[in-house]
Amino acid sequence: MTTLAKHLLARIEAHGPMTVADFMAESLLHPTLGYYTTRDPLGAEGDFTTAPEISQMFGELIGLSLAQAWLDQGAPSPCTLAELGPGRGTLMADILRATRAVPGFHDAIHVHLVEASPTLREMQRATINTDVTWHNSIDTLPEQPLYLIANEFFDALPIRQFQRGGEGWHERLIAMREGALTFAFGPELPQPHLEHRLTDTVKDMIVETCAPATTTAAQIGGRIRDHGGTALLIDYGDWRSKGDTLQALKSHAFVAPLAAPGESDLTAHVDFEAIAQAAPCAHAPLTPQGVFLEQLGITPRAQALASRLEGSALNSHIAAHRRLTHPEEMGNLFKVLALFPPNGTPPPGCPT
């Protein structure tokens, strides 16, 4: 049993069952025992690998899409280039390298990173070769044009889960049984924020909600509406939440979500419909990651890089291209939602 599990059991014993959202928040961000606050979760020695760690092509194309959106909007200056949950800083470093030749872009931008983990902040400091301002939350980003990337950020925000009853909902909770963490359900109650889901669900179906995601989307969209900019939100999920998608990863393998709190990554599929509806700006149709990257020219870029490789390096490069784009790998599982100003146009890579 992990140290954090003992802490959570003591809390439940004292105060009763907790929501899935509280469990996720404690598991991931507890000040001294949380998963993200105590370790580097990425890479072969960690628990999972994200797209920027797979290939430089991902960050290069993201950067060029954002820079072209900046040009299309009249090259505003000053402006904010921001990333939510920047991991080791690999994606931002690739964005900055790829956009160095865009006239005026680096003179106009200041880099802002929203990162809660002290461990990852130090890694970002070492990776990104420019002046950076760090934030604990999106609230303190400047009120100016915003060009933002969030890759695998929304999936780690705490969710609540509700099981459909007759005309109400049972909230799924974390309780204690025989000295161990277990799932339980609360009484059936009306949930006004889920009233619209009574038309597309049946009894016992689970629906997930994520208040931090919609709050964040509202803040991003508000800045884009008021000041201009664009945001690329890339994550696994779909247009509307259906079913139990809570999952845990440890050493690149799935484990039971309650098995190792504080020592495994917890995520859930993103409800892009809720994010789009919460953002008070325009949004492009939800686009599979593979389609998005192909629209940006990943295959010609992959071919250009491949011409300078051979042997195992070439094989790894080919595998990375496939992993990012193939429908049976990340190509369809991950989706891209672009936010942009009302009456504006979507950034390159996204359909109109």
Side-chain angles (χ1 to χ4, degrees), residues 195-207:
E195 192 71 25
H196 66 293
R197 298 306 306 273
L198 293 173
T199 62
D200 74 328
T201 56
V202 297
K203 193 173 185 299
D204 296 334
M205 182 177 285
I206 285 181
V207 167

Side-chain angles (χ1 to χ4, degrees), residues 4 12 23-24 61 92 153 164 197 210 229 245 264 327 343 347:
L4 183 58
I12 291 169
F23 172 75
M24 287 186 71
L61 295 172
M92 183 56 71
F153 172 80
R164 170 79 184 270
R197 298 306 306 273
C210 185
T245 71
S264 59
N343 303 315

Side-chain angles (χ1 to χ4, degrees), residues 144-182:
Q144 60 186 24
L146 173 64
Y147 298 87
L148 179 142
I149 175 67
N151 180 62
E152 293 201 53
F153 172 80
F154 284 89
D155 67 327
L157 297 179
I159 61 163
R160 293 172 69 184
Q161 293 184 316
F162 297 89
Q163 184 182 60
R164 170 79 184 270
E167 293 302 316
W169 302 85
H170 302 268
E171 182 158 15
R172 198 181 192 198
L173 304 169
I174 314 298
M176 180 173 64
R177 184 171 61 201
E178 298 179 357
L181 296 169
T182 187

Side-chain angles (χ1 to χ4, degrees), residues 49-56 58-59 151-152 289 324 330 334:
T49 301
T50 61
E53 306 291 334
I54 293 170
S55 172
Q56 69 186 65
F58 184 80
N151 180 62
E152 293 201 53
Q289 175 178 291
L324 290 174
M330 297 175 75
F334 282 76

Side-chain angles (χ1 to χ4, degrees), residues 267-344:
T267 62
H269 284 204
V270 173
D271 182 342
F272 284 103
E273 179 186 42
I275 289 174
Q277 290 179 344
C281 62
H283 65 85
L286 191 63
T287 308
Q289 175 178 291
V291 173
F292 173 74
L293 294 175
E294 291 293 355
Q295 300 262 37
L296 292 174
I298 191 171
T299 294
R301 177 59 175 153
Q303 291 168 340
L305 290 172
S307 68
R308 303 194 293 267
L309 301 173
E310 58 184 20
S312 62
L314 177 59
N315 292 335
S316 295
H317 173 64
I318 293 170
H321 175 255
R322 176 184 171 86
R323 187 170 178 189
L324 290 174
T325 61
H326 197 277
E328 294 181 2
E329 299 206 31
M330 297 175 75
N332 273 358
L333 176 63
F334 282 76
K335 309 293 195 307
V336 182
L337 181 69
L339 306 179
F340 54 95
N343 303 315

Side-chain angles (χ1 to χ4, degrees), residues 4-343:
L4 183 58
K6 295 175 183 176
H7 165 79
L8 296 174
L9 286 167
R11 173 176 163 175
I12 291 169
E13 188 171 27
H15 302 290
M18 67 175 62
T19 65
V20 173
D22 286 345
F23 172 75
M24 287 186 71
E26 286 283 272
S27 297
L28 298 177
L29 295 173
H30 185 281
T32 58
L33 302 173
Y35 179 77
Y36 288 130
T37 53
T38 57
R39 72 198 66 221
D40 170 17
L42 296 163
E45 301 302 316
D47 298 308
F48 60 90
T49 301
T50 61
E53 306 291 334
I54 293 170
S55 172
Q56 69 186 65
M57 296 184 292
F58 184 80
E60 290 172 349
L61 295 172
I62 295 293
L64 293 173
S65 177
L66 291 174
Q68 186 61 54
W70 173 77
L71 289 170
D72 292 343
Q73 293 177 16
S77 181
C79 62
T80 296
L81 177 62
E83 184 176 359
L84 308 185
R88 293 171 170 171
T90 304
L91 175 54
M92 183 56 71
D94 289 341
I95 288 172
L96 292 171
R97 187 187 66 255
T99 57
R100 192 175 296 124
V102 178
F105 187 58
H106 281 214
D107 293 329
I109 63 171
H110 186 79
V111 176
H112 294 258
L113 303 179
V114 178
E115 177 58 70
S117 166
T119 301
L120 291 176
R121 280 194 183 193
E122 287 307 308
M123 301 189 77
Q124 294 154 17
R125 198 184 310 276
T127 302
I128 300 171
N129 186 28
T130 192
D131 291 334
V132 173
T133 300
W134 277 271
H135 303 260
N136 288 320
S137 72
I138 194 173
D139 306 32
T140 52
L141 287 178
E143 292 285 348
Q144 60 186 24
L146 173 64
Y147 298 87
L148 179 142
I149 175 67
N151 180 62
E152 293 201 53
F153 172 80
F154 284 89
D155 67 327
L157 297 179
I159 61 163
R160 293 172 69 184
Q161 293 184 316
F162 297 89
Q163 184 182 60
R164 170 79 184 270
E167 293 302 316
W169 302 85
H170 302 268
E171 182 158 15
R172 198 181 192 198
L173 304 169
I174 314 298
M176 180 173 64
R177 184 171 61 201
E178 298 179 357
L181 296 169
T182 187
F183 286 110
F185 285 98
E188 181 174 337
L189 297 170
Q191 298 289 344
H193 66 290
L194 290 177
E195 192 71 25
H196 66 293
R197 298 306 306 273
L198 293 173
T199 62
D200 74 328
T201 56
V202 297
K203 193 173 185 299
D204 296 334
M205 182 177 285
I206 285 181
V207 167
E208 297 170 343
T209 66
C210 185
T214 52
T215 299
T216 300
Q219 292 173 313
I220 295 170
R223 280 170 170 76
I224 291 172
R225 175 198 60 202
D226 296 340
H227 307 290
T230 195
L232 294 172
L233 314 181
I234 306 176
D235 231 309
Y236 61 93
D238 219 323
W239 184 244
R240 178 173 287 190
S241 165
K242 282 188 179 180
D244 173 16
T245 71
L246 180 67
Q247 63 185 36
L249 273 176
K250 184 175 174 63
S251 300
H252 297 268
F254 290 106
V255 297
L258 304 185
E263 296 181 4
S264 59
D265 184 39
L266 289 173
T267 62
H269 284 204
V270 173
D271 182 342
F272 284 103
E273 179 186 42
I275 289 174
Q277 290 179 344
C281 62
H283 65 85
L286 191 63
T287 308
Q289 175 178 291
V291 173
F292 173 74
L293 294 175
E294 291 293 355
Q295 300 262 37
L296 292 174
I298 191 171
T299 294
R301 177 59 175 153
Q303 291 168 340
L305 290 172
S307 68
R308 303 194 293 267
L309 301 173
E310 58 184 20
S312 62
L314 177 59
N315 292 335
S316 295
H317 173 64
I318 293 170
H321 175 255
R322 176 184 171 86
R323 187 170 178 189
L324 290 174
T325 61
H326 197 277
E328 294 181 2
E329 299 206 31
M330 297 175 75
N332 273 358
L333 176 63
F334 282 76
K335 309 293 195 307
V336 182
L337 181 69
L339 306 179
F340 54 95
N343 303 315

